[in-house]
């Protein structure tokens, strides 16, 4: 599955990312590498919650 992820630089330092196709799916991190790992976890979590509530 391919998803579009938008990465932003946080004003206070670090990064945050969002997945526009999954409402409320976002994460943050101090480094870009850490952000990449976090976004996989965030998508997994959002999809598992969505599946329980009938979203996915």
């Amino acid at each position: 599955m391919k998803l579009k992820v938008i990465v932003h630089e946080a004003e206070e330092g670090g990064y945050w990312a969002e997945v526009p196709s999954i409402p409320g799916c976002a994460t943050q991190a101090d480094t870009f590498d850490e952000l990449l790992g976090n976004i996989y976890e965030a998508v997994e979590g959002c999809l598992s919650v969505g599946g329980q509530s009938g979203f996915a």
Side-chain angles (χ1 to χ4, degrees), residues 1-2 4-6 9 11 15-16 18 21-22 24-25 27 29-30 35-36 39-40 45 47 50 53-54 56:
M1 171 189 315
K2 290 186 180 183
K4 180 178 182 177
V5 176
I6 300 174
E9 285 189 49
E11 291 179 17
Y15 300 90
W16 69 279
E18 59 185 320
S21 61
I22 305 174
C25 189
T27 189
D30 292 328
L35 184 72
L36 292 179
I39 198 65
Y40 283 103
L47 291 178
S53 66

